[in-house]
Amino acid sequence: MTLLSLNALTVRRGECPVVDAVSFSVSPGECVGLIGPNGAGKTTLLRAALGLLPHEGLSSLSALPARARAAQAAWMPQSREIAWPVEVETLIALGRIPHLPRGARLRQEDRAAVDAAIARMGLEGFRTRRATELSGGEQARVLIARALAQATPLLIADEPIAGLDPANQIATMQVFRALAEEGRAVIVSLHDLGLAARHCTRLLMMGAGQLVADGPPPEVLTPDNVARVFGVTAFWAETPQGPVFQPLEVTR
Amino acid sequence: MKLAATLCALVAALFLASLLTGWVAANPAAALRALVAGDGTPLSVVMQDIRLPRAILAVMVGASLGLAGAALQGYLRNPLAEPGLIGVSGAAALGAVIAIQTGLALVFPLALPLSALAGAVAAVLLILMLAGPRGGSITLILAGIAISALAGALTSLVLNLSPNPFAAADIVFWMMGSLADRSFQHVWLALPFMALGWALLLSTGRALDALTLGEDAARAMGVDPFRLRVTLVLGTASAVGAATAVAGAIGFVGLVVPHLLRPFVGARPSQLLWASALGGAAMVLAADIAVREVLPERDLKLGVVMALVGAPLFLHLIYRTRREMA
């Protein structure tokens, strides 16, 4: 069983392919890190996979009708928009919209999902705060909680940990990993290769619109790949505390 | 629900006050008895044929403008969006003026509202096209200014080319917006369009809530952006077009009412819809009472009073937005 499968997904901007014939599939239990330099096509790939962009090739998600898709995958965009000064709890409850029958209010199960998301992201003390008045990092956690409240088998998040402090970055990656271990799947794009190496079960490396490498972190973050795609050298070690990856020098 | 009860009570009280306001002095009990009795006495005719439709129209027009304002603000994620400010009312007025000027309105009674409606549809489409899906404040306001100016210029052109100065004066007064001397004919003319508009706009609540998170997130939650846009355009145009067709251009209701009520509904766009409809009804009722009480011997226009109250509030809103951005 797969939660998402892409077959030769291609997105063009004019003639030039921004995402070039990318194929992979994601199964339950995977915490997939999508890595690549700026402009590699990570966001475009994720949006096209969700059916938010016109594309060629197949995506199992974009083929679904809108409502079924919303029950299958939750999406946390990179732009952290919160348009109105709503309370944190209200904002997180927006994640229940795809599950609510027409005209219904939040039901018992919806409240439970919202409470679970709040507990997971450690936002208990923020419930009644106005979301627009929080710091950038706090807003990011609230928006992750919103996506969690959607309670979908697949969670797709675009740079969710950018701008978080180290403790919250690690805690968030642990939440994603825990979701995977519960039998759901997560696809997360991120720039922190160290965190990707430690917390993801699998990495997808993109460069110039193409999928360069796909596999467990040690197989993807090879010196050769890292130099070719990111243009840096790096230090890698297996330690008693788990893998350590640290980019070192720019090679070009 | 406390807010709903409060707003309903306010609308009911103002509706009653509106019924008891006017030229003909009568004690309230007698006036209300005459309203119910309908016994053909002069007081009963005044109550039934002049004051009742006027109060009903105030509620309808206010609800339409408040609701449209709240829906546009929710959709564009911008507290400065308002049907009057962004040119929808102006374009509807242009449509109505053309219908009056060409005599079409005399030949075919539905020509006036339909023509106002067409103007409103054109303006809303232009706004959405110019302001773009992300709805930045600046592009929105600039697009609004451009469309208002264009509608104003075309209206002036119609007046300019008007062969008859009295007709021109009539149109000018009509455009200032008023509920004076309206009859049940106006109520029945506007009601179907407004009811359609209300139904369409109220149905957008959940999608507008989802849009709080941005268009991408909303789409991933199953919101169909195309359907939402069409619903919003038709709903706004039909409610505001009908309001403009019977009452002329009345601005600022759709701006001020959602702004005042937003804190009371926890800023949720869906809750703001019905709250703004009730609030708009209350505001127009109050303004229409003020019009008759402040200068009873002069025919003070509703649109003028609304703008006098609304413009300073708008300035205050811009000032606050600027401070929040800084």
Side-chain angles (χ1 to χ4, degrees):
Chain A
M1 179 183 130
T2 60
L3 294 174
L4 167 68
S5 71
L6 304 183
N7 191 358
L9 190 84
T10 302
V11 182
R12 291 177 198 281
R13 198 151 291 160
E15 272 302 292
C16 167
V18 196
V19 171
D20 196 356
V22 171
S23 305
F24 64 86
S25 57
V26 175
S27 308
E30 289 193 292
C31 178
V32 181
L34 180 61
I35 56 175
N38 291 329
K42 302 185 295 295
T43 300
T44 309
L45 171 69
L46 295 179
R47 293 187 67 216
L50 279 155
L52 300 175
L53 279 181
H55 59 81
E56 297 156 35
L58 290 178
S59 158
S60 61
L61 272 181
S62 79
L64 292 173
R67 230 185 135 86
R69 185 172 65 217
Q72 174 79 5
W75 166 234
M76 181 195 164
Q78 188 176 1
S79 62
R80 294 168 188 165
E81 270 190 78
I82 300 177
W84 304 109
V86 294
E87 285 184 2
V88 165
E89 195 173 0
T90 309
L91 191 84
I92 294 174
L94 292 179
R96 299 307 297 170
I97 285 179
H99 300 281
L100 286 177
R102 229 184 140 69
R105 292 165 173 279
L106 290 186
R107 301 154 300 171
Q108 197 69 41
E109 66 212 78
D110 300 312
R111 297 204 181 282
V114 170
D115 289 343
I118 288 175
R120 263 199 205 272
M121 293 311 296
L123 292 166
E124 208 51 65
F126 292 90
R127 271 180 191 265
T128 56
R129 294 271 300 275
R130 286 184 190 286
T132 43
E133 287 165 8
L134 302 177
S135 76
E138 288 161 350
Q139 287 186 350
R141 284 161 60 208
V142 168
L143 290 172
I144 295 169
R146 195 292 299 167
L148 291 178
Q150 202 169 330
T152 48
L154 178 63
L155 169 65
I156 303 179
D158 196 5
E159 299 199 21
I161 59 167
L164 297 187
D165 59 39
N168 277 309
Q169 285 190 330
I170 295 171
T172 302
M173 290 308 291
Q174 282 170 343
V175 166
F176 291 157
R177 183 65 180 261
L179 286 175
E181 275 157 19
E182 286 163 22
R184 287 152 77 176
V186 180
I187 304 176
V188 46
S189 80
L190 72 176
H191 278 300
D192 191 318
L193 302 180
L195 287 169
R198 282 180 72 85
H199 298 281
C200 295
T201 60
R202 174 182 168 193
L203 294 181
L204 300 172
M205 186 186 268
M206 279 190 85
Q210 289 176 329
L211 189 58
V212 177
D214 175 1
E219 290 172 25
V220 171
L221 290 171
T222 58
D224 180 46
N225 278 345
V226 172
R228 196 157 47 90
V229 173
F230 288 92
V232 295
T233 59
F235 167 83
W236 170 279
E238 287 292 343
T239 71
Q241 289 88 35
V244 172
F245 181 90
Q246 175 64 48
L248 297 174
E249 301 277 346
V250 177
T251 59
R252 57 182 174 213
Chain B
M1 286 307 99
K2 228 169 74 186
L3 178 68
T6 312
L7 285 173
C8 284
L10 186 65
V11 171
L14 285 167
F15 188 83
L16 207 62
S18 176
L19 284 177
L20 298 175
T21 305
W23 267 101
V24 182
N27 85 43
L32 291 180
R33 222 174 303 128
L35 173 67
V36 182
D39 47 12
T41 58
L43 182 59
S44 150
V45 171
V46 166
M47 291 304 292
Q48 288 195 331
D49 293 347
I50 298 177
R51 292 194 191 168
L52 185 60
R54 182 171 187 159
I56 291 175
L57 277 175
V59 169
M60 284 164 48
V61 168
S64 298
L65 295 174
L67 183 56
L72 278 178
Q73 292 184 10
Y75 179 72
L76 294 164
R77 282 156 283 154
N78 188 328
L80 301 181
E82 198 259 349
L85 194 68
I86 62 177
V88 179
S89 301
L94 171 64
V97 166
I98 290 174
I100 297 174
Q101 189 64 25
T102 54
L104 217 62
L106 294 174
V107 183
F108 167 52
L110 276 179
L112 181 67
L114 285 178
S115 169
L117 199 74
V121 169
V124 180
L125 283 175
L126 265 174
I127 287 285
L128 294 185
M129 215 172 72
L130 288 170
R134 296 188 70 87
S137 304
I138 294 174
T139 39
L140 175 73
I141 299 303
L142 289 180
I145 291 172
I147 289 170
S148 295
L150 184 63
L154 290 172
T155 308
S156 300
L157 181 68
V158 174
L159 290 174
N160 191 188
L161 298 178
S162 164
N164 175 347
F166 297 105
D170 264 1
I171 292 175
V172 169
F173 275 114
W174 179 84
M175 282 200 318
M176 288 181 187
S178 170
L179 289 170
D181 308 323
R182 299 301 193 268
S183 68
F184 267 105
Q185 210 186 340
H186 293 94
V187 173
W188 298 129
L189 193 66
L191 192 59
F193 293 104
M194 287 188 176
L196 175 70
W198 298 338
L200 288 172
L201 291 177
L202 285 170
S203 76
T204 60
R206 195 173 276 176
L208 295 181
D209 274 353
L211 268 183
T212 302
L213 297 166
E215 188 159 282
D216 240 28
R219 281 179 66 191
M221 283 197 282
V223 171
D224 179 346
F226 177 74
R227 211 178 115 193
L228 176 61
R229 192 173 272 232
V230 170
T231 311
L232 200 94
V233 169
L234 290 181
T236 305
S238 136
V240 175
T244 309
V246 292
I250 298 172
F252 294 101
V253 180
L255 178 77
V256 173
V257 170
H259 173 59
L260 291 177
L261 292 176
R262 184 166 287 117
F264 295 101
V265 295
R268 290 186 59 185
S270 60
Q271 302 296 305
L272 194 57
L273 290 179
W274 59 261
S276 294
L278 289 172
M283 186 161 212
V284 171
L285 276 169
D288 191 43
I289 293 169
V291 161
R292 285 175 282 175
E293 288 292 335
V294 176
L295 283 174
E297 66 283 1
R298 305 296 301 268
D299 180 20
L300 195 56
K301 296 294 186 188
L302 183 60
V304 176
V305 171
M306 231 37 254
L308 283 175
V309 178
L313 262 159
F314 180 51
L315 291 177
H316 168 75
L317 186 57
I318 290 187
Y319 177 71
R320 246 188 40 176
T321 315
R322 194 195 64 179
R323 216 177 29 188
E324 274 166 19
M325 281 184 197

